[in-house]
Amino acid sequence: MKKLINKREDVVKESLEGMAAAYPELISVDLEQQIIVRKDAPIKNKVGIISGGGSGHEPMHGGYVGYGMLDAACPGAVFTSPVPDQMLAASRAVNSGAGVLHIIKNYTGDVMNFEMAAELGSAEGINIANVVTNDDVAVTDSLYTAGRRGVGVTVLLEKIVGGLAETGAPLEQVAALAHKVNEQGRSMGVALTSCTVPAAGKPTFELGEDEMELGIGIHGEPGRRRVKLASAAEVTAMLVQPIIEDLGLKSGEQVLAFVNGMGGTPLIELFVVYDALNRILKGKNISIARNLVGNYITSLEMAGCSITLLRLDDELIKYWDAPVLTPALRWGR
Amino acid sequence: MKKLINKREDVVKESLEGMAAAYPELISVDLEQQIIVRKDAPIKNKVGIISGGGSGHEPMHGGYVGYGMLDAACPGAVFTSPVPDQMLAASRAVNSGAGVLHIIKNYTGDVMNFEMAAELGSAEGINIANVVTNDDVAVTDSLYTAGRRGVGVTVLLEKIVGGLAETGAPLEQVAALAHKVNEQGRSMGVALTSCTVPAAGKPTFELGEDEMELGIGIHGEPGRRRVKLASAAEVTAMLVQPIIEDLGLKSGEQVLAFVNGMGGTPLIELFVVYDALNRILKGKNISIARNLVGNYITSLEMAGCSITLLRLDDELIKYWDAPVLTPALRWGR
């Protein structure tokens, strides 16, 4: 295992200390509770938004804590759900009385622990709503999930719903927009290599030199099928076709196109994929009104990418474009 | 070779087409000349700033074209210098009459070709100045260079000098600041793995499972020495000590600390390194007034990182903080 780490068990803690040192004006890190909280939380009359999940997907979620996005993030151990105590501590830290939205990726551990935290928080009088993202069209019921997995849409949802929450909208409206975003987005990913969880010390799975895993989840869990290496144009078509079908996207519609790197694929390749995606959508008269290209929801150093399409309307565009100021996403401010 | 590409010879072209499609509001891509130009260039009364070099270091340089940074970038083939015609075309495209600054990383091919372009441009009446960055403390005279290589400082310089140029400062002043930034910055890098140039189809060099290459350049060219794998804290110390000595940094001074990923190292590890760097500098009473952590000058999918320290004063801080709006760096606007 070749990694820039010290002790395996200290990776998450030391990385959080690094983040705290790098962005003191944006975030506070509570190392005891293992949560990242927006510096100015709780914000009066604003719904608090929290998310969380295993570490190893950086910049998600800690990189999205700040103005116009998340109020707190709960990072678990690498590829391991955070515990209810973290989510409860985060809910307390961001609740100004306007309530808290839990954004949960549909992985069994995350869902169970967030539900327990919501029960505990509600018992303390915190008004909590949630959304469970489940945008991955590759599989229903996989190694880690019942139903579809929550992947790339989570990033877009955190941005859009964070934009609405910043206006002082009530919890009910914020939660409704979150459900709408989740319903309008679909994703699928591909892995060219595996990745190595520090605690395990060896690759999560094996892939032959001429193979790739289609429909992979963000922990290296198996996808639709293992196939022979193909060109970027072919891979892009294999990823986007099921998304378009599942979403029922039609000629004349507009989308946000998100090409996400899994961590180990260089940007130059992600733009080759984006070019291929742009051509395919153009051919179907689907317009890319907004886009995001880069490493935003990763699987450590895994090579590969995922594509997410989000059907857009004026409301979603408005809050996507709204100012954001976090470690990993910033514009308009 | 596992890459998300189509034909090897089309990687740069298709990636540029992807960038053009992703950022139509920021940049124009001239595929024939193979240059990326700021959408609103040339800008009246503003010095035009161009840079360039081999592709494979994304987001550098094309990702830095936009308000407050570069006016144009000239990408060569992967790890290959662009040709003088590209630099000449870029100089023409960004010259408003206020002159053009060439930012050149000290690699022999880049320097030679930029010099030829400057001669041709000058003959056409374009006022051209240049800066050759040479911040890499690891080696003097390497495989690709006479003198020290130009690496991480280039990114910081493009931002700071771009900030000054936006104020309408004359070429002489813009060039003087560029030289000052270069003199105040030093870098050193480490590789844990090699990377594969698409045209070559196999890794540039071999590293044993328990080895790393200290003082690596951004093309995989050899560094100071090959050493056994070490902890993040030890690696950070090995990188930063020569930088501090070479810069003559003293207790009480302030720096911009830049932890750069080479492409294949996950963000979680870069923050572990930043944490270690923060501790070392604190111990020496050197204050990190600004920082940058992420993949900004890469070597395709190489695992590893580089550290750059830039000695700061009020002038450098002012232009570092100035608004920037490019594909890869954006704040304050």
Side-chain angles (χ1 to χ4, degrees):
Chain A
M1 177 172 60
K2 290 187 138 180
K3 289 185 182 289
L4 288 167
I5 62 173
N6 297 301
K7 286 186 199 153
R8 295 171 186 209
E9 59 271 27
D10 292 339
V11 173
V12 173
K13 179 180 148 282
E14 291 178 355
S15 180
L16 288 176
E17 290 185 291
M19 277 197 76
Y23 309 108
E25 74 288 6
L26 298 179
I27 58 170
S28 299
V29 175
D30 181 333
L31 281 176
E32 203 183 330
Q33 301 284 357
Q34 201 159 304
I35 57 176
I36 301 168
V37 182
R38 188 172 149 175
K39 195 75 180 185
D40 50 355
I43 295 146
K44 209 179 158 184
N45 297 327
K46 181 190 165 302
V47 169
I49 304 182
I50 74 171
S51 191
S55 292
H57 307 300
E58 290 70 21
M60 187 184 79
H61 298 274
Y64 303 136
V65 175
Y67 180 90
M69 215 160 164
L70 297 180
D71 292 85
C74 313
V78 174
F79 290 2
T80 303
S81 175
V83 296
D85 278 355
Q86 289 172 268
M87 297 146 180
L88 179 61
S91 300
R92 285 176 185 150
V94 308
N95 181 38
S96 67
V100 178
L101 177 72
H102 289 181
I103 299 176
I104 312 164
K105 298 187 303 302
N106 189 31
Y107 283 94
T108 307
D110 290 358
V111 172
M112 211 171 61
N113 290 349
F114 264 108
E115 276 175 1
M116 194 174 301
E119 274 179 38
L120 295 167
S122 299
E124 292 182 9
I126 306 175
N127 194 8
I128 297 177
N130 77 29
V131 61
V132 179
T133 60
N134 64 344
D135 53 304
D136 189 340
V137 299
V139 290
T140 51
D141 301 340
S142 79
L143 196 56
Y144 295 86
T145 46
R148 289 196 311 223
R149 301 174 296 212
V151 289
V153 149
T154 316
V155 177
L156 310 181
L157 189 152
E158 291 176 0
K159 169 66 191 79
I160 290 170
V161 170
L164 173 62
E166 213 61 62
T167 68
L171 180 59
E172 194 175 290
Q173 190 187 343
V174 172
L177 182 62
H179 287 275
K180 173 177 162 181
V181 173
N182 182 53
E183 280 155 25
Q184 298 299 329
R186 297 290 189 282
S187 303
M188 190 158 152
V190 65
L192 302 194
T193 68
S194 182
C195 59
T196 298
V197 175
K202 59 182 174 52
T204 304
F205 61 100
E206 296 293 337
L207 262 178
E209 263 313 299
D210 60 343
E211 288 178 329
M212 57 186 195
E213 183 81 38
L214 198 66
I216 200 86
I218 56 171
H219 308 91
E221 63 269 35
R224 285 204 170 186
R225 60 185 192 275
R226 194 159 284 199
V227 297
K228 291 288 167 195
L229 277 183
S231 72
E234 290 164 331
V235 170
T236 304
M238 285 188 258
L239 295 179
V240 78
Q241 197 52 46
I243 293 172
I244 291 173
E245 280 167 21
D246 207 284
L247 260 182
L249 274 175
K250 294 193 174 47
S251 168
E253 290 201 275
Q254 58 182 352
V255 295
L256 189 160
F258 174 22
V259 173
N260 172 64
M262 302 306 283
T265 283
L267 206 48
I268 194 171
E269 296 178 34
L270 298 182
F271 280 112
V272 170
V273 171
Y274 185 77
D275 178 49
L277 177 61
N278 184 45
R279 286 169 198 281
I280 292 171
L281 294 180
K282 215 167 233 175
K284 295 182 184 294
N285 193 34
I286 295 165
S287 151
I288 303 182
R290 297 292 183 275
N291 69 75
L292 186 67
V293 184
N295 295 303
Y296 292 99
I297 166 171
T298 62
S299 302
L300 295 168
E301 70 282 359
M302 182 187 283
C305 75
S306 65
I307 290 175
T308 299
L309 295 185
L310 176 67
R311 177 187 273 123
L312 289 177
D313 61 19
D314 289 349
E315 185 185 27
L316 267 50
I317 290 176
K318 177 180 171 186
Y319 295 117
W320 175 257
D321 287 348
V324 62
L325 182 55
T326 69
L329 270 192
R330 46 177 80 193
W331 57 69
R333 202 178 158 93
Chain B
M1 177 173 60
K2 289 188 141 180
K3 289 184 181 290
L4 288 168
I5 62 173
N6 297 301
K7 285 187 199 154
R8 296 172 185 207
E9 60 271 28
D10 291 340
V11 173
V12 172
K13 179 179 146 284
E14 290 177 355
S15 179
L16 288 176
E17 291 186 290
M19 277 197 76
Y23 310 108
E25 73 289 4
L26 297 179
I27 58 170
S28 299
V29 174
D30 181 332
L31 281 176
E32 202 183 330
Q33 300 284 356
Q34 200 159 306
I35 57 176
I36 300 169
V37 182
R38 188 172 148 175
K39 196 75 181 185
D40 51 354
I43 295 146
K44 210 179 159 184
N45 298 327
K46 181 190 165 304
V47 169
I49 304 181
I50 74 172
S51 191
S55 292
H57 307 300
E58 289 71 21
M60 186 183 79
H61 299 275
Y64 304 136
V65 175
Y67 180 89
M69 216 162 164
L70 297 180
D71 293 84
C74 313
V78 174
F79 290 1
T80 303
S81 175
V83 296
D85 278 356
Q86 289 172 267
M87 299 147 178
L88 180 61
S91 300
R92 285 175 184 149
V94 308
N95 181 39
S96 68
V100 177
L101 177 72
H102 288 181
I103 299 176
I104 312 164
K105 297 187 303 302
N106 190 31
Y107 284 94
T108 308
D110 290 358
V111 172
M112 213 170 59
N113 290 349
F114 264 108
E115 277 176 0
M116 194 174 300
E119 274 178 38
L120 295 167
S122 299
E124 292 181 8
I126 306 175
N127 194 9
I128 296 176
N130 78 28
V131 62
V132 179
T133 60
N134 63 344
D135 52 306
D136 190 338
V137 300
V139 291
T140 51
D141 301 341
S142 79
L143 196 56
Y144 295 84
T145 47
R148 289 197 311 224
R149 301 173 296 211
V151 289
V153 149
T154 316
V155 177
L156 310 180
L157 189 152
E158 290 176 359
K159 168 67 192 79
I160 290 169
V161 170
L164 173 62
E166 213 61 61
T167 69
L171 180 58
E172 196 174 287
Q173 191 187 342
V174 171
L177 182 62
H179 287 274
K180 174 178 162 181
V181 173
N182 181 54
E183 280 155 25
Q184 299 299 329
R186 297 289 189 281
S187 304
M188 191 158 150
V190 64
L192 303 194
T193 68
S194 182
C195 59
T196 299
V197 175
K202 58 181 176 51
T204 303
F205 60 100
E206 296 293 338
L207 262 179
E209 261 315 299
D210 61 342
E211 289 179 327
M212 57 185 194
E213 182 82 37
L214 197 67
I216 200 85
I218 56 172
H219 309 89
E221 64 270 35
R224 284 205 171 185
R225 60 186 193 275
R226 194 159 285 198
V227 297
K228 292 288 167 197
L229 278 184
S231 71
E234 290 164 329
V235 170
T236 305
M238 284 188 256
L239 295 179
V240 77
Q241 197 52 46
I243 293 172
I244 291 173
E245 280 168 20
D246 207 284
L247 260 182
L249 274 176
K250 292 194 176 46
S251 167
E253 290 201 274
Q254 59 181 352
V255 296
L256 189 161
F258 175 22
V259 173
N260 172 64
M262 302 307 282
T265 283
L267 206 48
I268 195 171
E269 296 177 34
L270 297 182
F271 281 112
V272 169
V273 171
Y274 185 78
D275 179 49
L277 177 61
N278 184 47
R279 286 170 199 282
I280 292 171
L281 294 180
K282 215 167 232 176
K284 295 181 184 294
N285 193 34
I286 295 164
S287 151
I288 303 182
R290 296 292 184 276
N291 68 76
L292 186 66
V293 183
N295 295 304
Y296 292 99
I297 167 171
T298 62
S299 302
L300 295 169
E301 69 282 359
M302 182 188 283
C305 74
S306 65
I307 289 176
T308 299
L309 295 184
L310 176 68
R311 177 186 273 123
L312 288 177
D313 60 18
D314 290 348
E315 184 185 26
L316 267 51
I317 290 177
K318 176 180 172 186
Y319 294 117
W320 174 258
D321 288 347
V324 62
L325 182 56
T326 68
L329 271 191
R330 46 177 79 192
W331 58 70
R333 203 180 158 93

